[in-house]
Amino acid sequence: MKIGIIGAGSIGATLTRKLSSAGHEVKVANSRGPETISPELLVVGATAVTASEVVTDIDALIISVPLSSIPALKPLVANLPTDATILDTSNYYPMRDGQVPALDQGQVESVWVTEQLGRPVAKAWNAILAGSFETKGQAAGDPGRLAIPVAADRETDKTVAMSLVEDTGFDAVDSGSLADSWRQQPGAPTYCTDLTRQEIPEALASAKKERIPQRRDLAMTMVMEKIEGGVALVNDDMVELNRSTYN
Ligand SMILES: NC(=O)c1ccc[n+]([C@@H]2O[C@H](COP(=O)([O-])OP(=O)(O)OC[C@H]3O[C@@H](n4cnc5c(N)ncnc54)[C@H](OP(=O)(O)O)[C@@H]3O)[C@@H](O)[C@H]2O)c1
């Protein structure tokens, strides 16, 4: 598949490596230009391009930028054919993204993203920490393989997104529609807690919508407090913190 990736940060870089290693034809762009993208991301065959080049001649576009950068991408996305699948990895953190009134009032993040882009998306890879995503992928069928929830409204988008998630080394679990994707947002039991395919359905079902924003902000406050206090948090510390805060 021909894939464009916007964002070459923690998640976009790993997506670039994994999807090109899986045999896909990958182009990747950031905001500063292709010359600023690490050559290390390109060793398996991906190409660094400009943001306007990344949306040409592709079957799927993955957007992996801070949520606050999403509205600016609408003109780029307008160049994509309507049958191309757009996948979004974003999460809303008011401490990082600034306050977004609609999201503060409970609008579902991926629904807000579709409104900003004027296009449907599949929500994927948002609920895996960068460290887990980079290091914990396993071959299909491996016992203990971790899983990633995938939400989308169009069947074609869901099929493409689930297949690409599998290609990155994780089981894909159908988490339903975009309207229901609050169940995999920051603060929910499924969010960045390293669950398996067997564990995710119960975690999605047990999410309590009204508790999610407080739990998201509580975990972020605890992380900031530890970092400012000189504690070196590693990926699995974050997974444990999320498990204890979101359940
Ligand atoms: N980090 C995690 O553990 C994690 C896990 C799951 C999901 N997520 C979500 O995934 C998204 C990406 O996270 P991240 O940690 O990978 O972020 P990151 O490390 O900060 O990287 C963000 C990337 O987006 C690019 N970018 C920003 N605005 C852009 C624009 N207008 N046009 C083109 N490129 C643009 C940046 O390019 P420049 O550097 O050139 O500006 C950078 O390459 C976020 O929404 C985050 O919430 C993160």
Side-chain angles (χ1 to χ4, degrees), residues 6 8-11 30-32 65 69 89-91 96 126 128 130:
I6 303 181
S10 307
I11 297 295
N30 63 8
S31 76
R32 288 164 297 144
V65 302
S69 294
T89 76
S90 71
N91 295 300
R96 180 196 65 193
N126 79 296
I128 183 93

Side-chain angles (χ1 to χ4, degrees), residues 1-4 24-27 56-61:
M1 181 172 278
K2 293 179 181 176
I3 299 170
H24 296 286
E25 197 176 312
V26 178
K27 296 190 275 188
T56 60
D57 188 28
I58 53 171
D59 308 303
L61 175 70

Side-chain angles (χ1 to χ4, degrees), residues 5-14 28-33 36-37 51 54 63-70 72-73 76 88-93 96-97 109 124-133 186 191-192 235 238:
I5 300 177
I6 303 181
S10 307
I11 297 295
T14 300
V28 58
N30 63 8
S31 76
R32 288 164 297 144
T36 66
I37 291 179
V54 85
I63 298 176
S64 190
V65 302
L67 179 129
S68 52
S69 294
I70 290 214
L73 300 180
L76 279 181
D88 169 47
T89 76
S90 71
N91 295 300
Y92 175 50
Y93 281 99
R96 180 196 65 193
D97 296 307
E109 290 166 17
W125 298 292
N126 79 296
I128 183 93
L129 280 175
S132 294
F133 186 43
Y191 181 76
C192 294
N235 185 79
M238 303 278 294

